[in-house]
Amino acid sequence: MKIVIDAMGGDNAPRSNVEGALSAAREWQDIEIVLVGDQQQIEALLTDRPSNLSVIHASEVIEAEDEPVKAVRRKKDSSMVVAGRMVRDGEASAMISAGNTGALMTTGLLVVGRMKGIERPALAPIIPTLDGKGVLALDLGANMDSKPEHLQQFALMGSLYREKVHGIAKPRVGLLNVGTEPGKGNELTKQAYPLLEQLPIHFVGNVEARDVMDGVCDVLVCDGFAGNILLKAIEGTAGALFSLLKEQFSQSLKTKLAAALMMPQLRSLKSTLDYKEHGGAPLLGLSGLVVKGHGSSDAGAIKNAVRQARIAVSSKLVESISNEISGK
Amino acid sequence: MKIVIDAMGGDNAPRSNVEGALSAAREWQDIEIVLVGDQQQIEALLTDRPSNLSVIHASEVIEAEDEPVKAVRRKKDSSMVVAGRMVRDGEASAMISAGNTGALMTTGLLVVGRMKGIERPALAPIIPTLDGKGVLALDLGANMDSKPEHLQQFALMGSLYREKVHGIAKPRVGLLNVGTEPGKGNELTKQAYPLLEQLPIHFVGNVEARDVMDGVCDVLVCDGFAGNILLKAIEGTAGALFSLLKEQFSQSLKTKLAAALMMPQLRSLKSTLDYKEHGGAPLLGLSGLVVKGHGSSDAGAIKNAVRQARIAVSSKLVESISNEISGK
């Protein structure tokens, strides 16, 4: 199994990407890792050269501020697009990139290509929950306006991912909505509800935004707009609370003392809520596996993304989704 | 000016409603307060009888679990519907209810009636922000599927409310969206953006969910579905964080000590985030003023709602909205 890594994407590229790739190559001897990007820069960072790690040169880089569609169309020799072509051509089983999210989704659509029968691929990151297990939410950003049938496909793909990659036997699939009763919601969720009921999945009904962090489901289905509002509201509230806490901790000697006593607990609290710790987000519904690493991925996050890709490929995730979709 | 209070609506009714009404009647001699509901129960709670407070009997009560439209249609002598009729008939300038939210919105639509030119009335509660000033968000629940023109009207109404009732000179109006750039969003927000630009308001552009709590705008425009996701995600995250904190505080003697030292700060933190403390939410776009108190309103919250209604009526809020809408 060959896994290709965009060495140039992300805030800490290429260093973190190369370090993560090295560490993954050492840990899993059953995979081959290919780093794509500026050969000179990559080789300068390669402190070791395991036999299952190789480098392919790409002369261009898609930057964070590049306009996605334009960048993918024009920068044909960028590390991201070259990696995408390798997946399309069957030269690699999966690709990982921590680069420009829009460009990666465009690479997925235009270079790797949609899976037959899938109308809209979906980006599926993990939202943190109190029990530490997280919930796979999709779509989170690939599609702004979804149809009920898209949500139905998201539910199926998300359920298969949780089962295959995370080993959850009967993933509980919930529909993000404004109330728990079946008749609730906007036109989209009202029409999607019966479609989700028809699927061969463990559909647990509507889930309210306030219950998501309590871990009431393993997969949360939503359109990209609502999903973005949810994820960013959670991020914003957690960030706001931590800054309020910090401010209040520094108010007096007494509270500074309390802060010092609490510091280890607060750090672990923060990491529970840090969705970056949950690794990469798969882009599901493509003809090959694409994993999006967080922009600020460090070496550990890149290695984590390789771990996920390795499990997904060996458990035949893409083939399973394809079978379910075509069998319908 | 006459303000009518549904004495029977809310978790703490009628006690809190009667106490809040009494306290408001004593504080503001320039208003007349009418309590509508079970006369016997109300009078038993009236420890005092200011000359500007009266009671009107209503034999029925709309319960929290009643189906809204059915309840409003059938319970014609319920305290909520009687109060709504008084506003419709010009016998009162405003009504306040902490009862069944759906039924109150139905009372607004079917009993009080829409303002001419307004397509969809909107519920506009305050979402807490770090600076303590809050942001008026609308619509939050009255309409699940909005059109761009509805969002345009929400923006205008919200801006006027902040100006008239909260005394903010040029309220900053933001559009809830998935990115700050003008072209971002789903079809609804992309089409609403230029419509908001045309209004005689201080439109500050798109606002992301993660920035809402930082107080980047005074009015946040959204459809009821996205607004619900936002508000409940904030509530859920804050609740989850507090329960995590509590758990971690109780882990050892050391952390228990820290908790004791921090308690006053944590309480004030919690109250900053408690949107109940921000008083009632107006239902804007009706031919009269309707204020929704939180279901768990205590006497102070009811009094707060009277304060808001009094300012709104004396500043001619409803007339101003009507003039702006018809002048367009």
Side-chain angles (χ1 to χ4, degrees), chain B residues 146-186:
Chain B
S146 294
K147 292 184 181 155
E149 294 74 25
H150 302 158
L151 298 193
Q152 189 184 29
Q153 294 190 332
F154 298 166
L156 191 66
M157 296 193 294
S159 180
L160 281 167
Y161 189 86
R162 288 298 256 176
E163 191 191 323
K164 300 277 181 188
V165 179
H166 296 151
I168 299 171
K170 274 181 151 194
R172 296 158 303 158
V173 180
L175 177 63
L176 181 64
N177 213 332
V178 300
T180 52
E181 305 87 342
K184 287 275 177 179
N186 56 9

Side-chain angles (χ1 to χ4, degrees), chain B residues 93-104:
Chain B
S93 306
M95 77 170 276
I96 292 161
S97 176
N100 184 320
T101 306
L104 184 61

Side-chain angles (χ1 to χ4, degrees), chain B residues 202-244:
Chain B
H202 180 28
F203 178 48
V204 296
N206 291 327
V207 167
E208 288 194 76
R210 84 170 112 225
D211 299 325
V212 169
M213 287 194 67
D214 291 334
V216 296
C217 58
D218 303 302
V219 176
L220 183 71
V221 175
C222 54
D223 68 284
F225 189 87
N228 180 290
I229 301 297
L230 173 74
L231 183 62
K232 288 192 181 157
I234 291 175
E235 270 181 53
T237 308
L241 268 167
F242 278 111
S243 72
L244 271 177

Side-chain angles (χ1 to χ4, degrees), chain B residues 255-275:
Chain B
T255 56
K256 275 182 195 153
L257 175 65
L261 291 171
M262 280 302 296
M263 216 26 94
Q265 273 75 15
L266 283 176
R267 281 215 193 87
S268 107
L269 183 58
K270 212 167 177 176
S271 92
T272 303
L273 292 170
D274 189 351
Y275 72 104

Side-chain angles (χ1 to χ4, degrees), chain A residues 130 144-145 176-179 185-189 208-210 213-214 223-226 228-230 232-238 240-245 248-249 251-252 254-255 257-259 261-262 264-266 268-269 272-273, chain B residues 130 144-145 176-179 185-189 208-210 213-214 223-226 228-230 232-238 240-245 248-249 251-252 254-255 257-259 261-262 264-266 268-269 272-273:
Chain A
L130 287 183
M144 281 299 121
D145 289 280
L176 180 64
N177 213 333
V178 300
N186 55 10
E187 284 309 312
L188 175 65
T189 57
E208 288 193 77
R210 83 171 111 224
M213 287 192 68
D214 292 334
D223 68 285
F225 189 86
N228 179 290
I229 301 296
L230 174 73
K232 288 193 182 157
I234 291 175
E235 271 182 52
T237 308
L241 268 167
F242 278 110
S243 73
L244 270 177
L245 266 180
Q248 297 196 321
F249 271 143
Q251 270 175 0
S252 69
K254 198 178 78 173
T255 56
L257 176 65
L261 290 170
M262 280 301 297
Q265 274 75 16
L266 284 176
S268 106
L269 183 58
T272 303
L273 292 170
Chain B
L130 286 183
M144 281 300 120
D145 290 280
L176 181 64
N177 213 332
V178 300
N186 56 9
E187 284 309 312
L188 175 65
T189 56
E208 288 194 76
R210 84 170 112 225
M213 287 194 67
D214 291 334
D223 68 284
F225 189 87
N228 180 290
I229 301 297
L230 173 74
K232 288 192 181 157
I234 291 175
E235 270 181 53
T237 308
L241 268 167
F242 278 111
S243 72
L244 271 177
L245 266 180
Q248 298 197 320
F249 271 142
Q251 270 175 359
S252 70
K254 198 178 80 172
T255 56
L257 175 65
L261 291 171
M262 280 302 296
Q265 273 75 15
L266 283 176
S268 107
L269 183 58
T272 303
L273 292 170

Side-chain angles (χ1 to χ4, degrees), chain A:
Chain A
M1 167 195 330
K2 208 179 262 182
I3 294 172
V4 54
I5 298 176
D6 168 8
M8 313 309 283
D11 305 341
N12 309 313
R15 177 174 295 278
S16 294
N17 308 24
V18 173
E19 287 173 4
L22 262 176
S23 164
R26 283 190 209 113
E27 180 147 349
W28 300 293
Q29 303 288 334
D30 59 345
I31 57 175
E32 276 178 70
I33 290 190
V34 182
L35 278 162
V36 181
D38 186 290
Q39 189 150 16
Q40 213 176 341
Q41 284 186 56
I42 295 171
E43 306 224 318
L45 292 163
L46 277 178
T47 50
D48 177 19
R49 198 68 181 253
S51 60
N52 60 338
L53 188 151
S54 57
V55 178
I56 287 185
H57 182 67
S59 63
E60 293 172 295
V61 176
I62 294 184
E63 309 287 352
E65 55 280 5
D66 278 352
E67 199 282 306
V69 179
K70 221 180 270 176
V72 171
R73 289 219 167 110
R74 294 195 186 156
K75 294 184 171 174
K76 294 204 189 299
D77 198 39
S78 60
S79 53
M80 191 188 282
V81 172
V82 171
R85 269 204 303 270
M86 290 179 65
V87 174
R88 180 196 65 194
D89 297 341
E91 288 168 31
S93 306
M95 76 170 278
I96 292 162
S97 176
N100 184 320
T101 306
L104 184 60
M105 294 191 294
T106 306
T107 298
L109 271 174
L110 302 186
V111 181
V112 178
R114 273 183 300 154
M115 178 185 288
K116 209 186 146 195
I118 289 286
E119 296 191 40
R120 301 286 177 93
L123 186 65
I126 293 280
I127 290 181
T129 57
L130 287 183
D131 60 10
K133 293 177 186 165
V135 51
L136 185 90
L138 72 171
D139 172 46
L140 270 190
N143 309 283
M144 281 299 121
D145 289 280
S146 294
K147 291 183 183 156
E149 294 73 25
H150 303 158
L151 298 194
Q152 189 184 28
Q153 294 191 331
F154 298 167
L156 192 65
M157 296 192 293
S159 180
L160 281 167
Y161 189 87
R162 288 297 255 176
E163 191 192 320
K164 300 276 180 190
V165 180
H166 296 152
I168 299 172
K170 274 182 151 193
R172 296 158 303 159
V173 180
L175 177 63
L176 180 64
N177 213 333
V178 300
T180 52
E181 306 86 342
K184 287 275 178 179
N186 55 10
E187 284 309 312
L188 175 65
T189 57
K190 278 195 258 184
Q191 288 174 32
Y193 193 97
L195 298 181
L196 265 62
E197 283 185 308
Q198 290 165 18
L199 290 173
I201 59 169
H202 180 28
F203 178 47
V204 296
N206 291 325
V207 168
E208 288 193 77
R210 83 171 111 224
D211 299 326
V212 169
M213 287 192 68
D214 292 334
V216 296
C217 58
D218 303 302
V219 177
L220 182 70
V221 175
C222 54
D223 68 285
F225 189 86
N228 179 290
I229 301 296
L230 174 73
L231 182 63
K232 288 193 182 157
I234 291 175
E235 271 182 52
T237 308
L241 268 167
F242 278 110
S243 73
L244 270 177
L245 266 180
K246 213 172 154 187
E247 189 185 298
Q248 297 196 321
F249 271 143
S250 60
Q251 270 175 0
S252 69
L253 196 63
K254 198 178 78 173
T255 56
K256 274 182 197 154
L257 176 65
L261 290 170
M262 280 301 297
M263 214 29 91
Q265 274 75 16
L266 284 176
R267 280 214 194 89
S268 106
L269 183 58
K270 213 166 176 177
S271 91
T272 303
L273 292 170
D274 191 351
Y275 72 103
K276 272 173 282 192
E277 306 226 342
H278 291 275
L283 192 49
L284 299 172
L286 299 172
S287 63
L289 188 67
V290 175
V291 177
K292 149 107 197 89
H294 197 275
S296 59
S297 291
D298 55 15
I302 296 290
K303 185 181 172 186
N304 235 332
V306 175
R307 182 198 314 272
Q308 281 178 68
R310 179 174 166 270
I311 301 175
V313 173
S314 61
S315 67
K316 301 196 181 302
L317 172 75
V318 173
E319 293 83 344
S320 301
I321 293 176
S322 173
N323 288 342
E324 286 288 344
I325 292 292
S326 61
K328 272 171 38 111

